[in-house]
Amino acid sequence: METTPKGYLHSQVDVKVLILFILARIEQPLSGQELYEVAYQDDSLNYFMFFSSLPELVATGHLRQDAEKRYAITELGRTQGAQVEDSLAVPVVEKVSAAIAQKLAMIRRSDFIKTAVLQDDHGNYQAILRYQVDEMPGMELSLHAPNESVAQAMAENLRKRADELYRLCYRSEEH
C-alpha cells in the first residue's frame, strides 16, 4: 500500500527555495541551526536534506558563508529565489512567515541586550547584564562570580534569559 507523504516539502528543490525565502526576508546571516529552527514549520522538512542543501547553495553562489559559519543570501540567491518562491505551498509560507517575524523580533531585542564580564582591582569578577534602548537603560543587573569562567557562563545565561528577567522586574513593579 502506497502512502502519500506528509507535508509540503518533498524535494531538495523545495527545501532550497525555502532557505532562500527565509534569508531574503531576514537579511542577516544565520547559523544553520537558526535557519533550521525558522524553517521547521512543516513536519515533512527532512533534517539531513536541509543541512545538505546549505553547502550546495553556497557552491552555486546563492548563499555565502562567513567565518562564523553563518549563511547569508547573495544577490543571485535573492533574484533567483524571488522567481521561484511562489512554488512554496501557502501553508508553509504562512507558518514560516510567522516564524520569520518572531526571529526578527528576537534579533531586534538582542540589539538592546549587552553583557560583560568585568574584573575589579581586587581580582573579583562580575557578570553584568544591561537592557537598554538608545542611551536609556531599562535594566542593569550585576552578579558576583568566583572566577572568570563562571562569570562568562553567568553572562551567557543572563543574555539568554534577559527577556524573562526584564518581564519579572516589570511584573514585580505592578504588584
Side-chain angles (χ1 to χ4, degrees):
M1 185 163 108
E2 194 174 308
T3 62
T4 306
K6 272 178 54 174
Y8 298 97
L9 302 169
H10 302 293
S11 73
Q12 195 154 22
V13 171
D14 293 337
V15 173
K16 289 177 180 179
V17 171
L18 181 61
I19 291 167
L20 295 175
F21 177 83
I22 293 167
L23 285 174
R25 280 147 184 84
I26 292 185
E27 297 183 356
Q28 178 170 328
L30 297 178
S31 70
Q33 186 61 40
E34 288 174 310
L35 251 171
Y36 182 73
E37 289 167 4
V38 173
Y40 189 77
Q41 306 301 319
D42 182 327
D43 290 338
S44 66
L45 181 61
N46 179 291
Y47 179 88
F48 300 104
M49 190 185 299
F50 180 87
F51 279 96
S52 67
S53 297
L54 292 172
E56 290 178 18
L57 286 166
V58 171
T60 59
H62 292 89
L63 299 181
R64 63 180 162 71
Q65 189 176 23
D66 65 18
E68 296 171 2
K69 306 262 190 241
R70 295 177 305 170
Y71 297 92
I73 194 166
T74 63
E75 198 52 45
L76 174 67
R78 187 177 312 283
T79 302
Q80 290 185 349
Q83 293 171 356
V84 295
E85 69 184 24
D86 62 342
S87 68
L88 292 170
V90 172
V92 172
V93 170
E94 289 172 348
K95 289 178 184 176
V96 169
S97 293
I100 289 168
Q102 286 178 332
K103 183 67 175 175
L104 287 170
M106 188 179 85
I107 290 168
R108 279 188 219 102
R109 274 194 313 273
S110 71
D111 290 343
F112 303 137
I113 300 167
K114 306 290 183 225
T115 57
V117 171
L118 300 177
Q119 183 179 21
D120 65 19
D121 296 338
H122 303 290
N124 300 313
Y125 287 91
Q126 290 181 319
I128 298 172
L129 166 73
R130 287 187 184 96
Y131 196 103
Q132 107 182 32
V133 179
D134 298 322
E135 297 301 316
M136 177 65 114
M139 175 178 71
E140 183 167 309
L141 178 63
S142 174
L143 301 174
H144 291 277
N147 59 49
E148 185 176 12
S149 64
V150 171
Q152 292 289 352
M154 290 168 72
E156 183 58 32
N157 285 330
L158 287 170
R159 173 178 275 296
K160 288 178 183 175
R161 305 204 55 191
D163 284 340
E164 183 181 344
L165 291 167
Y166 190 75
R167 282 192 303 275
L168 283 170
C169 289
Y170 278 101
R171 194 175 308 141
S172 65
E173 283 182 6
E174 294 171 0
H175 297 289

